[in-house]
Amino acid sequence: MPPECLAPEYVGSLFDVPIPMSVGDWVPDRPDHLNDWIQEMLKDIDKDGCPITHPAVLEFKNDIESDPELFMGFHRIFENVPERDPLGRLQVKDYLTMLSLFQRFMGDAPSWNPRFLVFLPFTTVLQWPMSMSNGFTILINRRVNDHFRKIFAVWLKFLASSQSNYVLHEGCDGWLSPEAMENMPKFKETFVCDPGEPHWGFTSWNHFFARELRPGARPPSNPDDDRIITSACESKFLRKAFSVTTRDQFWMKNQPYSLVHMLNNDPLASSFVGGTVYQAFLSPYYYHRWHSPVEGTVVKTQGQQPFLSHVATRALIFIQARNPNIGLMCFIGVGMVEVSTCDITVEPGQVVKKGQEIGTLHFGGSTHCLVFGPQVKLEFLNSTNEVIPAQLLDCPIDRVEAHL
């Protein structure tokens, strides 16, 4: 790695404890790095003055200042945030600073950083309030979520535009650099791209993020053995639960969901009582399209935003496996804390092959679940501790077998 790409080594401090948002590498695993990043962002808006002018952010500001409940709530959520952390770094202490940062982020695409990545800028700003009861209360307010939805819609439009491709280059902070590619092996051979074209042919950040496989790349594992259930995503094992009950709790995106909540109270949820839930998460480096883990028929699909719209965007795809001993299963794609679109590309009644693409996530999707009925007893054929599961043969894979 070129010396100019290296940040100074961290010497250590009081902040050596990983935080939940670091799962999947969406934010640094050490809070001191987050605080360093916030410090830089605060310097930027202080230097520019950063008056709030963007219509979506200005509307949010006006709503906070005209509504007594929101005005009090957004003052209270910053009351317990220290002015500076123990190392003397400034913190976000008021809603105006928060909104100024939000406005800045709306024109930024995620840059690759050899030291650490911050993919969740909005969440990073709210890391203190989100961990406190008064912050949680105001952030689940429906009007507040409506404003977040509008802001994220603007950001998503930017990330899908050609303006966002400035981070797609081969320099030391670019996603196409040799150093970044070390985290995405065989990229040129695996994904549709043209290194001879500007930005390797990617037209936007989201185009890169939701990149497509080249024809024939990564064929599905054991396509003709319907006892083998392959992973639906390139992802890393997080947790599994057996003999689940209707009201069991599973932690998806740091929010508790019972089986019926995960499946949005769908009548088909009863089919999975006594069954198994397998959950794995995706990294920013991973391939973000979904593939059918079984051969079968799509029974039902559903997209939803049931709780915090910026926390739990989800997609449900119910598939009746060809193998009757597997029967009905469900794929759940879970969107990002911030911007994400769960794009389902199959329809009810459609027959899908094992490994066939069934949907994708556009900047988001850090976790997914596979849900099976009680008739399916899963045996993991590879270790779930370190392996990155994928249904694709030239990745390290973690397959699961239905004992029939």
Side-chain angles (χ1 to χ4, degrees):
M1 183 181 297
E4 63 271 18
C5 293
L6 294 172
E9 288 298 318
Y10 170 67
V11 179
S13 75
L14 303 174
F15 305 99
D16 286 332
V17 181
I19 60 174
M21 288 189 298
S22 65
V23 174
D25 299 323
W26 293 96
V27 295
D29 60 359
R30 297 202 313 234
D32 68 293
H33 286 165
L34 285 180
N35 289 331
D36 285 344
W37 180 84
I38 288 174
Q39 186 83 350
E40 291 303 311
M41 297 301 102
L42 290 173
K43 287 179 182 176
D44 279 353
I45 64 170
D46 182 60
K47 176 181 62 179
D48 297 336
C50 204
I52 296 172
T53 57
H54 192 283
V57 184
L58 187 59
E59 182 183 350
F60 197 0
K61 174 181 179 291
N62 291 339
D63 215 3
I64 290 174
E65 294 177 344
S66 63
D67 183 281
E69 180 185 359
L70 297 187
F71 190 69
M72 179 179 68
F74 273 96
H75 275 84
R76 290 186 63 197
I77 66 174
F78 292 106
E79 282 179 355
N80 296 324
V81 178
E83 187 74 32
R84 295 177 182 270
D85 72 11
L87 295 183
R89 290 169 294 201
L90 291 170
Q91 301 293 295
V92 179
K93 278 289 293 176
D94 58 78
Y95 75 90
L96 290 174
T97 303
M98 175 193 77
L99 293 175
S100 294
L101 288 169
F102 286 177
Q103 180 172 262
R104 182 196 187 284
F105 299 154
M106 289 163 70
D108 284 349
S111 296
W112 184 75
N113 187 318
R115 186 181 180 212
F116 61 87
L117 298 173
V118 175
F119 269 79
L120 308 179
F122 296 86
T123 301
T124 301
V125 168
L126 294 171
Q127 59 177 317
W128 281 92
M130 287 174 67
S131 65
M132 301 173 186
S133 59
N134 57 1
F136 185 78
T137 299
I138 195 65
L139 292 172
I140 65 172
N141 182 288
R142 184 175 298 276
R143 290 175 63 189
V144 171
N145 273 267
D146 285 343
H147 285 295
F148 275 117
R149 187 179 295 110
K150 291 176 183 178
I151 288 172
F152 294 157
V154 174
W155 195 30
L156 181 59
K157 185 176 180 180
F158 170 78
L159 295 176
S161 74
S162 60
Q163 293 175 291
S164 66
N165 63 17
Y166 71 92
V167 297
L168 304 178
H169 60 82
E170 298 180 33
C172 64
D173 61 345
W175 281 94
L176 308 179
S177 67
E179 294 76 26
M181 283 294 152
E182 290 177 5
N183 299 282
M184 298 173 282
K186 298 184 179 180
F187 189 98
K188 298 175 184 178
E189 298 87 352
T190 304
F191 301 108
V192 176
C193 63
D194 185 352
E197 293 290 323
H199 315 293
W200 290 16
F202 294 111
T203 58
S204 68
W205 158 257
N206 244 342
H207 187 195
F208 167 78
F209 185 82
R211 53 192 173 269
E212 298 179 71
L213 289 173
R214 290 188 184 277
R218 296 182 174 180
S221 174
N222 299 282
D224 300 319
D225 188 344
D226 62 10
R227 297 171 303 164
I228 300 293
I229 301 168
T230 61
S231 180
C233 297
E234 183 175 332
S235 51
K236 189 172 183 180
F237 171 76
L238 183 59
R239 56 176 61 87
K240 57 184 179 287
F242 300 101
S243 302
V244 299
T245 67
T246 305
R247 299 291 173 183
D248 271 344
Q249 288 192 349
F250 308 93
W251 285 89
M252 296 172 59
K253 306 300 301 175
N254 294 325
Q255 298 294 337
Y257 290 90
S258 69
L259 180 63
V260 293
H261 292 147
M262 289 167 63
L263 299 176
N264 199 32
N265 293 302
D266 193 284
L268 293 177
S270 60
S271 304
F272 304 107
V273 174
T276 299
V277 175
Y278 167 90
Q279 184 176 3
F281 61 82
L282 289 75
S283 155
Y285 293 114
Y286 295 175
Y287 169 69
H288 276 80
R289 292 176 181 261
W290 320 322
H291 293 253
S292 181
V294 296
E295 180 172 345
T297 303
V298 177
V299 174
K300 182 186 290 188
T301 65
Q302 184 180 151
Q304 54 182 305
Q305 292 180 311
F307 186 38
L308 294 175
S309 65
H310 61 296
V311 171
T313 300
R314 299 208 299 277
L316 307 179
I317 303 175
F318 294 89
I319 301 173
Q320 183 72 36
R322 182 184 68 172
N323 185 333
N325 292 310
I326 296 176
L328 185 69
M329 63 152 298
C330 185
F331 167 85
I332 306 176
V334 186
M336 205 52 187
V337 177
E338 295 176 5
V339 170
S340 69
T341 300
C342 292
D343 185 9
I344 298 171
T345 56
V346 291
E347 299 178 350
Q350 182 175 342
V351 175
V352 292
K353 297 289 187 181
K354 186 192 300 184
Q356 180 177 333
E357 186 180 317
I358 57 176
T360 189
L361 292 144
H362 299 284
F363 188 53
S366 57
T367 193
H368 79 285
C369 291
L370 300 180
V371 187
F372 301 94
Q375 73 280 4
V376 178
K377 307 302 179 185
L378 300 180
E379 174 187 343
F380 291 82
L381 302 184
N382 292 321
S383 167
T384 58
N385 293 326
E386 300 296 335
V387 174
I388 299 174
Q391 91 288 357
L392 309 168
L393 277 179
D394 63 353
C395 281
I397 73 168
D398 186 0
R399 297 172 295 173
V400 293
E401 178 177 1
H403 282 196
L404 307 178

